[in-house]
Each structure stands twice: as structure tokens, then as C-alpha cells.
Amino acid sequence: MTRTQIFASAAKALAENGVPPLLMRDDIGALDSLTEVDVLVPARCLDRSVSILQQAGWELLDSGLFHTAKRAVVLLHGGDLLKLD
């Protein structure tokens, strides 16, 4: 899978489970060159979003301990650490 396909798959998994993801600040056409993508989801969906992404193979990096409105997950792909923040 390409990075674009991986990021798109994560967004699709969220959307299929009732979490409307919004890509922030990144050019959708440049996803294959990015290792980190900023995504905004409704606050009430943060924990569910992490759970959905973990089921898809992503690992929790930021649990929201220091910033309660933030989560981050990572996935190792071809030697690169991809991040959804």
C-alpha cells in the first residue's frame, strides 16, 4: 500500500464507524510524500477514533495525558513511522 492508501484507509475506517474525519492543513494530493497528517474529529469521538484505528493496526502514541483534546496514533510502513495526529 502507498502512504496515500494507508491514510485514506484510516479515514475510511473512521467514516464507516460514524466518525467524520477532517483533514487539516495538508494537501490531499501530497499524501504520498507526508509521514504525518493532522486530522480533526469531534471531541466526543476521540477515544472511539483511537479504538477504530488500533483495530486497523495503528498504535497509540499520545493518549491525551497532557492535552486532553489530543490523540495521536502511528503505524510503521516501509521503514517510516506514519502518524495521524
Side-chain angles (χ1 to χ4, degrees):
M1 288 181 86
T2 66
R3 290 181 188 174
T4 298
Q5 291 169 325
I6 290 170
F7 289 130
S9 177
K12 182 180 178 185
L14 291 173
E16 287 176 344
N17 285 281
V19 179
L22 175 63
L23 184 66
M24 300 292 295
R25 296 184 300 220
D26 296 307
D27 178 6
I28 194 96
L31 286 180
D32 253 357
S33 65
L34 300 175
T35 57
E36 180 176 334
V37 174
D38 295 321
V39 177
L40 182 64
V41 299
R44 70 183 186 286
C45 299
L46 280 174
D47 292 330
R48 185 163 43 118
S49 298
V50 168
S51 177
I52 292 164
L53 293 170
Q54 285 178 314
Q55 290 173 20
W58 294 80
E59 297 291 332
L60 182 63
L61 176 67
D62 184 344
S63 66
L65 179 63
F66 298 108
H67 190 300
T68 58
K70 180 178 177 175
R71 303 292 184 278
V73 293
V74 293
L75 180 75
L76 188 60
H77 175 260
D80 293 320
L81 194 62
L82 304 183
K83 181 178 176 187
L84 288 174
D85 189 23

PDB file of all heavy atoms in Angstrom, residues 6-7 10 35 46-47 49-64 70-77 80-85:
ATOM      1  N   ILE A   6      -2.861   4.217   2.725  1.00  0.00           N
ATOM      2  CA  ILE A   6      -2.913   3.974   4.170  1.00  0.00           C
ATOM      3  C   ILE A   6      -3.703   5.075   4.874  1.00  0.00           C
ATOM      4  O   ILE A   6      -4.590   4.801   5.685  1.00  0.00           O
ATOM      5  CB  ILE A   6      -1.490   3.856   4.751  1.00  0.00           C
ATOM      6  CG1 ILE A   6      -0.861   2.550   4.269  1.00  0.00           C
ATOM      7  CG2 ILE A   6      -1.501   3.925   6.276  1.00  0.00           C
ATOM      8  CD1 ILE A   6       0.618   2.434   4.569  1.00  0.00           C
ATOM      9  N   PHE A   7      -3.386   6.334   4.572  1.00  0.00           N
ATOM     10  CA  PHE A   7      -4.112   7.442   5.193  1.00  0.00           C
ATOM     11  C   PHE A   7      -5.588   7.435   4.786  1.00  0.00           C
ATOM     12  O   PHE A   7      -6.470   7.668   5.603  1.00  0.00           O
ATOM     13  CB  PHE A   7      -3.459   8.782   4.838  1.00  0.00           C
ATOM     14  CG  PHE A   7      -2.124   9.018   5.500  1.00  0.00           C
ATOM     15  CD1 PHE A   7      -1.023   9.407   4.755  1.00  0.00           C
ATOM     16  CD2 PHE A   7      -1.965   8.859   6.869  1.00  0.00           C
ATOM     17  CE1 PHE A   7       0.209   9.638   5.354  1.00  0.00           C
ATOM     18  CE2 PHE A   7      -0.740   9.083   7.490  1.00  0.00           C
ATOM     19  CZ  PHE A   7       0.348   9.477   6.728  1.00  0.00           C
ATOM     20  N   ALA A  10      -7.436   4.738   6.699  1.00  0.00           N
ATOM     21  CA  ALA A  10      -7.717   5.156   8.080  1.00  0.00           C
ATOM     22  C   ALA A  10      -8.924   6.088   8.118  1.00  0.00           C
ATOM     23  O   ALA A  10      -9.821   5.928   8.956  1.00  0.00           O
ATOM     24  CB  ALA A  10      -6.491   5.839   8.677  1.00  0.00           C
ATOM     25  N   THR A  35       4.621  12.034   6.155  1.00  0.00           N
ATOM     26  CA  THR A  35       4.679  10.994   7.172  1.00  0.00           C
ATOM     27  C   THR A  35       3.734  11.322   8.321  1.00  0.00           C
ATOM     28  O   THR A  35       3.462  10.466   9.148  1.00  0.00           O
ATOM     29  CB  THR A  35       6.110  10.815   7.730  1.00  0.00           C
ATOM     30  OG1 THR A  35       6.562  12.063   8.245  1.00  0.00           O
ATOM     31  CG2 THR A  35       7.043  10.280   6.661  1.00  0.00           C
ATOM     32  N   LEU A  46     -13.050  11.087  20.243  1.00  0.00           N
ATOM     33  CA  LEU A  46     -11.603  10.859  20.335  1.00  0.00           C
ATOM     34  C   LEU A  46     -11.255   9.419  20.701  1.00  0.00           C
ATOM     35  O   LEU A  46     -10.480   8.764  19.999  1.00  0.00           O
ATOM     36  CB  LEU A  46     -10.979  11.806  21.361  1.00  0.00           C
ATOM     37  CG  LEU A  46     -10.706  13.219  20.882  1.00  0.00           C
ATOM     38  CD1 LEU A  46     -10.216  14.078  22.042  1.00  0.00           C
ATOM     39  CD2 LEU A  46      -9.706  13.225  19.755  1.00  0.00           C
ATOM     40  N   ASP A  47     -11.804   8.930  21.792  1.00  0.00           N
ATOM     41  CA  ASP A  47     -11.451   7.579  22.235  1.00  0.00           C
ATOM     42  C   ASP A  47     -11.935   6.513  21.257  1.00  0.00           C
ATOM     43  O   ASP A  47     -11.242   5.539  20.994  1.00  0.00           O
ATOM     44  CB  ASP A  47     -11.987   7.319  23.643  1.00  0.00           C
ATOM     45  CG  ASP A  47     -11.279   8.174  24.687  1.00  0.00           C
ATOM     46  OD1 ASP A  47     -10.091   8.499  24.485  1.00  0.00           O
ATOM     47  OD2 ASP A  47     -11.912   8.522  25.692  1.00  0.00           O
ATOM     48  N   SER A  49     -12.280   6.949  18.074  1.00  0.00           N
ATOM     49  CA  SER A  49     -11.404   7.057  16.905  1.00  0.00           C
ATOM     50  C   SER A  49     -10.125   6.258  17.111  1.00  0.00           C
ATOM     51  O   SER A  49      -9.684   5.529  16.227  1.00  0.00           O
ATOM     52  CB  SER A  49     -11.053   8.521  16.633  1.00  0.00           C
ATOM     53  OG  SER A  49     -12.206   9.260  16.339  1.00  0.00           O
ATOM     54  N   VAL A  50      -9.531   6.408  18.295  1.00  0.00           N
ATOM     55  CA  VAL A  50      -8.311   5.660  18.602  1.00  0.00           C
ATOM     56  C   VAL A  50      -8.588   4.162  18.548  1.00  0.00           C
ATOM     57  O   VAL A  50      -7.815   3.395  17.970  1.00  0.00           O
ATOM     58  CB  VAL A  50      -7.737   6.071  19.975  1.00  0.00           C
ATOM     59  CG1 VAL A  50      -6.646   5.108  20.418  1.00  0.00           C
ATOM     60  CG2 VAL A  50      -7.218   7.492  19.921  1.00  0.00           C
ATOM     61  N   SER A  51      -9.688   3.748  19.132  1.00  0.00           N
ATOM     62  CA  SER A  51     -10.042   2.328  19.128  1.00  0.00           C
ATOM     63  C   SER A  51     -10.203   1.793  17.706  1.00  0.00           C
ATOM     64  O   SER A  51      -9.698   0.716  17.379  1.00  0.00           O
ATOM     65  CB  SER A  51     -11.327   2.126  19.935  1.00  0.00           C
ATOM     66  OG  SER A  51     -11.719   0.783  19.893  1.00  0.00           O
ATOM     67  N   ILE A  52     -10.867   2.540  16.867  1.00  0.00           N
ATOM     68  CA  ILE A  52     -11.077   2.141  15.473  1.00  0.00           C
ATOM     69  C   ILE A  52      -9.733   1.998  14.755  1.00  0.00           C
ATOM     70  O   ILE A  52      -9.487   1.020  14.051  1.00  0.00           O
ATOM     71  CB  ILE A  52     -11.987   3.162  14.742  1.00  0.00           C
ATOM     72  CG1 ILE A  52     -13.403   3.098  15.302  1.00  0.00           C
ATOM     73  CG2 ILE A  52     -11.965   2.941  13.236  1.00  0.00           C
ATOM     74  CD1 ILE A  52     -14.267   4.295  14.927  1.00  0.00           C
ATOM     75  N   LEU A  53      -8.867   2.975  14.958  1.00  0.00           N
ATOM     76  CA  LEU A  53      -7.565   2.949  14.290  1.00  0.00           C
ATOM     77  C   LEU A  53      -6.667   1.852  14.845  1.00  0.00           C
ATOM     78  O   LEU A  53      -5.915   1.222  14.092  1.00  0.00           O
ATOM     79  CB  LEU A  53      -6.900   4.323  14.383  1.00  0.00           C
ATOM     80  CG  LEU A  53      -7.635   5.407  13.585  1.00  0.00           C
ATOM     81  CD1 LEU A  53      -7.077   6.786  13.911  1.00  0.00           C
ATOM     82  CD2 LEU A  53      -7.581   5.124  12.095  1.00  0.00           C
ATOM     83  N   GLN A  54      -6.750   1.584  16.143  1.00  0.00           N
ATOM     84  CA  GLN A  54      -5.977   0.476  16.708  1.00  0.00           C
ATOM     85  C   GLN A  54      -6.424  -0.849  16.109  1.00  0.00           C
ATOM     86  O   GLN A  54      -5.599  -1.724  15.841  1.00  0.00           O
ATOM     87  CB  GLN A  54      -6.103   0.454  18.230  1.00  0.00           C
ATOM     88  CG  GLN A  54      -5.284   1.533  18.909  1.00  0.00           C
ATOM     89  CD  GLN A  54      -5.456   1.544  20.406  1.00  0.00           C
ATOM     90  OE1 GLN A  54      -6.561   1.465  20.922  1.00  0.00           O
ATOM     91  NE2 GLN A  54      -4.355   1.652  21.115  1.00  0.00           N
ATOM     92  N   GLN A  55      -7.708  -1.010  15.891  1.00  0.00           N
ATOM     93  CA  GLN A  55      -8.209  -2.239  15.260  1.00  0.00           C
ATOM     94  C   GLN A  55      -7.679  -2.374  13.834  1.00  0.00           C
ATOM     95  O   GLN A  55      -7.569  -3.484  13.314  1.00  0.00           O
ATOM     96  CB  GLN A  55      -9.737  -2.255  15.266  1.00  0.00           C
ATOM     97  CG  GLN A  55     -10.327  -2.435  16.642  1.00  0.00           C
ATOM     98  CD  GLN A  55     -11.848  -2.289  16.645  1.00  0.00           C
ATOM     99  OE1 GLN A  55     -12.501  -2.422  15.615  1.00  0.00           O
ATOM    100  NE2 GLN A  55     -12.390  -2.008  17.817  1.00  0.00           N
ATOM    101  N   ALA A  56      -7.328  -1.244  13.220  1.00  0.00           N
ATOM    102  CA  ALA A  56      -6.793  -1.244  11.859  1.00  0.00           C
ATOM    103  C   ALA A  56      -5.263  -1.356  11.847  1.00  0.00           C
ATOM    104  O   ALA A  56      -4.646  -1.263  10.796  1.00  0.00           O
ATOM    105  CB  ALA A  56      -7.232   0.021  11.128  1.00  0.00           C
ATOM    106  N   GLY A  57      -4.643  -1.527  13.034  1.00  0.00           N
ATOM    107  CA  GLY A  57      -3.201  -1.743  13.094  1.00  0.00           C
ATOM    108  C   GLY A  57      -2.376  -0.566  13.580  1.00  0.00           C
ATOM    109  O   GLY A  57      -1.164  -0.679  13.729  1.00  0.00           O
ATOM    110  N   TRP A  58      -2.999   0.576  13.832  1.00  0.00           N
ATOM    111  CA  TRP A  58      -2.284   1.742  14.335  1.00  0.00           C
ATOM    112  C   TRP A  58      -2.010   1.559  15.829  1.00  0.00           C
ATOM    113  O   TRP A  58      -2.745   0.884  16.528  1.00  0.00           O
ATOM    114  CB  TRP A  58      -3.102   3.011  14.103  1.00  0.00           C
ATOM    115  CG  TRP A  58      -3.279   3.357  12.659  1.00  0.00           C
ATOM    116  CD1 TRP A  58      -4.181   2.809  11.797  1.00  0.00           C
ATOM    117  CD2 TRP A  58      -2.545   4.308  11.901  1.00  0.00           C
ATOM    118  NE1 TRP A  58      -4.045   3.358  10.547  1.00  0.00           N
ATOM    119  CE2 TRP A  58      -3.058   4.286  10.591  1.00  0.00           C
ATOM    120  CE3 TRP A  58      -1.512   5.186  12.208  1.00  0.00           C
ATOM    121  CZ2 TRP A  58      -2.551   5.116   9.591  1.00  0.00           C
ATOM    122  CZ3 TRP A  58      -1.024   6.010  11.214  1.00  0.00           C
ATOM    123  CH2 TRP A  58      -1.541   5.969   9.918  1.00  0.00           C
ATOM    124  N   GLU A  59      -0.932   2.211  16.318  1.00  0.00           N
ATOM    125  CA  GLU A  59      -0.557   2.145  17.728  1.00  0.00           C
ATOM    126  C   GLU A  59      -0.704   3.521  18.366  1.00  0.00           C
ATOM    127  O   GLU A  59      -0.372   4.542  17.743  1.00  0.00           O
ATOM    128  CB  GLU A  59       0.895   1.680  17.877  1.00  0.00           C
ATOM    129  CG  GLU A  59       1.160   0.284  17.364  1.00  0.00           C
ATOM    130  CD  GLU A  59       0.515  -0.801  18.209  1.00  0.00           C
ATOM    131  OE1 GLU A  59       0.322  -0.590  19.416  1.00  0.00           O
ATOM    132  OE2 GLU A  59       0.210  -1.864  17.636  1.00  0.00           O
ATOM    133  N   LEU A  60      -1.173   3.549  19.599  1.00  0.00           N
ATOM    134  CA  LEU A  60      -1.365   4.805  20.325  1.00  0.00           C
ATOM    135  C   LEU A  60      -0.011   5.419  20.686  1.00  0.00           C
ATOM    136  O   LEU A  60       0.841   4.763  21.283  1.00  0.00           O
ATOM    137  CB  LEU A  60      -2.185   4.551  21.593  1.00  0.00           C
ATOM    138  CG  LEU A  60      -2.513   5.768  22.449  1.00  0.00           C
ATOM    139  CD1 LEU A  60      -3.393   6.742  21.673  1.00  0.00           C
ATOM    140  CD2 LEU A  60      -3.214   5.322  23.718  1.00  0.00           C
ATOM    141  N   LEU A  61       0.184   6.685  20.325  1.00  0.00           N
ATOM    142  CA  LEU A  61       1.400   7.410  20.658  1.00  0.00           C
ATOM    143  C   LEU A  61       1.119   8.462  21.732  1.00  0.00           C
ATOM    144  O   LEU A  61       1.868   8.598  22.679  1.00  0.00           O
ATOM    145  CB  LEU A  61       1.982   8.084  19.411  1.00  0.00           C
ATOM    146  CG  LEU A  61       3.210   8.966  19.628  1.00  0.00           C
ATOM    147  CD1 LEU A  61       4.396   8.100  20.047  1.00  0.00           C
ATOM    148  CD2 LEU A  61       3.543   9.739  18.361  1.00  0.00           C
ATOM    149  N   ASP A  62       0.031   9.200  21.579  1.00  0.00           N
ATOM    150  CA  ASP A  62      -0.331  10.263  22.515  1.00  0.00           C
ATOM    151  C   ASP A  62      -1.725   9.982  23.042  1.00  0.00           C
ATOM    152  O   ASP A  62      -2.696  10.011  22.299  1.00  0.00           O
ATOM    153  CB  ASP A  62      -0.285  11.614  21.808  1.00  0.00           C
ATOM    154  CG  ASP A  62      -0.550  12.794  22.723  1.00  0.00           C
ATOM    155  OD1 ASP A  62      -1.066  12.594  23.841  1.00  0.00           O
ATOM    156  OD2 ASP A  62      -0.245  13.923  22.312  1.00  0.00           O
ATOM    157  N   SER A  63      -1.809   9.706  24.332  1.00  0.00           N
ATOM    158  CA  SER A  63      -3.078   9.311  24.952  1.00  0.00           C
ATOM    159  C   SER A  63      -3.921  10.475  25.419  1.00  0.00           C
ATOM    160  O   SER A  63      -5.025  10.282  25.918  1.00  0.00           O
ATOM    161  CB  SER A  63      -2.795   8.408  26.154  1.00  0.00           C
ATOM    162  OG  SER A  63      -2.131   9.160  27.160  1.00  0.00           O
ATOM    163  N   GLY A  64      -3.414  11.695  25.293  1.00  0.00           N
ATOM    164  CA  GLY A  64      -4.143  12.855  25.778  1.00  0.00           C
ATOM    165  C   GLY A  64      -3.828  13.181  27.223  1.00  0.00           C
ATOM    166  O   GLY A  64      -4.509  13.990  27.846  1.00  0.00           O
ATOM    167  N   LYS A  70      -6.337  15.906  22.585  1.00  0.00           N
ATOM    168  CA  LYS A  70      -5.437  15.445  21.525  1.00  0.00           C
ATOM    169  C   LYS A  70      -5.135  13.958  21.670  1.00  0.00           C
ATOM    170  O   LYS A  70      -4.964  13.454  22.770  1.00  0.00           O
ATOM    171  CB  LYS A  70      -4.122  16.221  21.582  1.00  0.00           C
ATOM    172  CG  LYS A  70      -3.142  15.805  20.513  1.00  0.00           C
ATOM    173  CD  LYS A  70      -1.883  16.617  20.575  1.00  0.00           C
ATOM    174  CE  LYS A  70      -0.922  16.088  19.519  1.00  0.00           C
ATOM    175  NZ  LYS A  70       0.270  16.885  19.420  1.00  0.00           N
ATOM    176  N   ARG A  71      -5.076  13.280  20.541  1.00  0.00           N
ATOM    177  CA  ARG A  71      -4.618  11.898  20.476  1.00  0.00           C
ATOM    178  C   ARG A  71      -3.734  11.785  19.239  1.00  0.00           C
ATOM    179  O   ARG A  71      -3.874  12.555  18.292  1.00  0.00           O
ATOM    180  CB  ARG A  71      -5.779  10.903  20.322  1.00  0.00           C
ATOM    181  CG  ARG A  71      -6.843  10.952  21.375  1.00  0.00           C
ATOM    182  CD  ARG A  71      -6.361  10.479  22.737  1.00  0.00           C
ATOM    183  NE  ARG A  71      -7.453  10.459  23.699  1.00  0.00           N
ATOM    184  CZ  ARG A  71      -7.893  11.504  24.374  1.00  0.00           C
ATOM    185  NH1 ARG A  71      -7.346  12.685  24.196  1.00  0.00           N
ATOM    186  NH2 ARG A  71      -8.888  11.399  25.226  1.00  0.00           N
ATOM    187  N   ALA A  72      -2.845  10.823  19.255  1.00  0.00           N
ATOM    188  CA  ALA A  72      -2.012  10.559  18.077  1.00  0.00           C
ATOM    189  C   ALA A  72      -1.772   9.061  17.991  1.00  0.00           C
ATOM    190  O   ALA A  72      -1.588   8.392  19.008  1.00  0.00           O
ATOM    191  CB  ALA A  72      -0.689  11.307  18.169  1.00  0.00           C
ATOM    192  N   VAL A  73      -1.792   8.556  16.773  1.00  0.00           N
ATOM    193  CA  VAL A  73      -1.511   7.146  16.526  1.00  0.00           C
ATOM    194  C   VAL A  73      -0.450   7.057  15.434  1.00  0.00           C
ATOM    195  O   VAL A  73      -0.299   7.964  14.612  1.00  0.00           O
ATOM    196  CB  VAL A  73      -2.777   6.354  16.119  1.00  0.00           C
ATOM    197  CG1 VAL A  73      -3.760   6.278  17.272  1.00  0.00           C
ATOM    198  CG2 VAL A  73      -3.439   6.953  14.899  1.00  0.00           C
ATOM    199  N   VAL A  74       0.301   5.965  15.459  1.00  0.00           N
ATOM    200  CA  VAL A  74       1.381   5.772  14.487  1.00  0.00           C
ATOM    201  C   VAL A  74       1.293   4.373  13.884  1.00  0.00           C
ATOM    202  O   VAL A  74       0.727   3.454  14.468  1.00  0.00           O
ATOM    203  CB  VAL A  74       2.767   5.978  15.123  1.00  0.00           C
ATOM    204  CG1 VAL A  74       2.975   7.422  15.521  1.00  0.00           C
ATOM    205  CG2 VAL A  74       2.982   5.058  16.307  1.00  0.00           C
ATOM    206  N   LEU A  75       1.898   4.250  12.708  1.00  0.00           N
ATOM    207  CA  LEU A  75       1.940   2.976  12.001  1.00  0.00           C
ATOM    208  C   LEU A  75       3.284   2.889  11.288  1.00  0.00           C
ATOM    209  O   LEU A  75       3.686   3.829  10.592  1.00  0.00           O
ATOM    210  CB  LEU A  75       0.798   2.904  10.982  1.00  0.00           C
ATOM    211  CG  LEU A  75       0.695   1.643  10.145  1.00  0.00           C
ATOM    212  CD1 LEU A  75       0.130   0.503  10.987  1.00  0.00           C
ATOM    213  CD2 LEU A  75      -0.197   1.882   8.940  1.00  0.00           C
ATOM    214  N   LEU A  76       4.001   1.792  11.459  1.00  0.00           N
ATOM    215  CA  LEU A  76       5.270   1.582  10.766  1.00  0.00           C
ATOM    216  C   LEU A  76       4.975   1.060   9.366  1.00  0.00           C
ATOM    217  O   LEU A  76       4.268   0.067   9.191  1.00  0.00           O
ATOM    218  CB  LEU A  76       6.134   0.587  11.544  1.00  0.00           C
ATOM    219  CG  LEU A  76       7.561   0.417  11.041  1.00  0.00           C
ATOM    220  CD1 LEU A  76       8.319   1.746  11.097  1.00  0.00           C
ATOM    221  CD2 LEU A  76       8.282  -0.628  11.861  1.00  0.00           C
ATOM    222  N   HIS A  77       5.513   1.764   8.369  1.00  0.00           N
ATOM    223  CA  HIS A  77       5.272   1.378   6.979  1.00  0.00           C
ATOM    224  C   HIS A  77       6.554   1.571   6.182  1.00  0.00           C
ATOM    225  O   HIS A  77       7.039   2.696   6.032  1.00  0.00           O
ATOM    226  CB  HIS A  77       4.156   2.247   6.388  1.00  0.00           C
ATOM    227  CG  HIS A  77       3.937   2.005   4.934  1.00  0.00           C
ATOM    228  ND1 HIS A  77       4.447   2.838   3.969  1.00  0.00           N
ATOM    229  CD2 HIS A  77       3.274   1.041   4.269  1.00  0.00           C
ATOM    230  CE1 HIS A  77       4.099   2.383   2.776  1.00  0.00           C
ATOM    231  NE2 HIS A  77       3.387   1.295   2.936  1.00  0.00           N
ATOM    232  N   ASP A  80       9.244   3.742   7.586  1.00  0.00           N
ATOM    233  CA  ASP A  80       8.808   5.077   8.004  1.00  0.00           C
ATOM    234  C   ASP A  80       7.720   4.963   9.057  1.00  0.00           C
ATOM    235  O   ASP A  80       6.870   4.079   8.992  1.00  0.00           O
ATOM    236  CB  ASP A  80       8.244   5.876   6.824  1.00  0.00           C
ATOM    237  CG  ASP A  80       9.303   6.217   5.797  1.00  0.00           C
ATOM    238  OD1 ASP A  80      10.427   6.559   6.197  1.00  0.00           O
ATOM    239  OD2 ASP A  80       8.988   6.151   4.593  1.00  0.00           O
ATOM    240  N   LEU A  81       7.747   5.869  10.014  1.00  0.00           N
ATOM    241  CA  LEU A  81       6.713   5.937  11.024  1.00  0.00           C
ATOM    242  C   LEU A  81       5.673   6.949  10.552  1.00  0.00           C
ATOM    243  O   LEU A  81       5.943   8.151  10.490  1.00  0.00           O
ATOM    244  CB  LEU A  81       7.306   6.360  12.374  1.00  0.00           C
ATOM    245  CG  LEU A  81       6.426   6.164  13.580  1.00  0.00           C
ATOM    246  CD1 LEU A  81       6.100   4.679  13.780  1.00  0.00           C
ATOM    247  CD2 LEU A  81       7.108   6.717  14.818  1.00  0.00           C
ATOM    248  N   LEU A  82       4.492   6.453  10.189  1.00  0.00           N
ATOM    249  CA  LEU A  82       3.412   7.330   9.750  1.00  0.00           C
ATOM    250  C   LEU A  82       2.601   7.728  10.979  1.00  0.00           C
ATOM    251  O   LEU A  82       2.388   6.928  11.875  1.00  0.00           O
ATOM    252  CB  LEU A  82       2.524   6.621   8.743  1.00  0.00           C
ATOM    253  CG  LEU A  82       3.216   6.065   7.500  1.00  0.00           C
ATOM    254  CD1 LEU A  82       2.212   5.455   6.555  1.00  0.00           C
ATOM    255  CD2 LEU A  82       4.041   7.143   6.809  1.00  0.00           C
ATOM    256  N   LYS A  83       2.132   8.963  10.994  1.00  0.00           N
ATOM    257  CA  LYS A  83       1.439   9.474  12.172  1.00  0.00           C
ATOM    258  C   LYS A  83       0.150  10.180  11.796  1.00  0.00           C
ATOM    259  O   LYS A  83       0.114  10.989  10.870  1.00  0.00           O
ATOM    260  CB  LYS A  83       2.359  10.458  12.910  1.00  0.00           C
ATOM    261  CG  LYS A  83       1.770  11.040  14.179  1.00  0.00           C
ATOM    262  CD  LYS A  83       2.800  11.952  14.832  1.00  0.00           C
ATOM    263  CE  LYS A  83       2.252  12.638  16.058  1.00  0.00           C
ATOM    264  NZ  LYS A  83       3.205  13.641  16.590  1.00  0.00           N
ATOM    265  N   LEU A  84      -0.912   9.847  12.509  1.00  0.00           N
ATOM    266  CA  LEU A  84      -2.166  10.589  12.453  1.00  0.00           C
ATOM    267  C   LEU A  84      -2.256  11.330  13.767  1.00  0.00           C
ATOM    268  O   LEU A  84      -2.254  10.713  14.838  1.00  0.00           O
ATOM    269  CB  LEU A  84      -3.365   9.655  12.284  1.00  0.00           C
ATOM    270  CG  LEU A  84      -3.532   9.000  10.927  1.00  0.00           C
ATOM    271  CD1 LEU A  84      -4.670   7.990  10.966  1.00  0.00           C
ATOM    272  CD2 LEU A  84      -3.791  10.048   9.853  1.00  0.00           C
ATOM    273  N   ASP A  85      -2.310  12.623  13.708  1.00  0.00           N
ATOM    274  CA  ASP A  85      -2.255  13.462  14.898  1.00  0.00           C
ATOM    275  C   ASP A  85      -3.543  14.251  15.031  1.00  0.00           C
ATOM    276  O   ASP A  85      -4.028  14.806  14.102  1.00  0.00           O
ATOM    277  CB  ASP A  85      -1.061  14.403  14.750  1.00  0.00           C
ATOM    278  CG  ASP A  85      -0.758  15.171  15.998  1.00  0.00           C
ATOM    279  OD1 ASP A  85      -1.119  14.746  17.082  1.00  0.00           O
ATOM    280  OD2 ASP A  85      -0.097  16.215  15.856  1.00  0.00           O
TER     281      ASP A  85
END
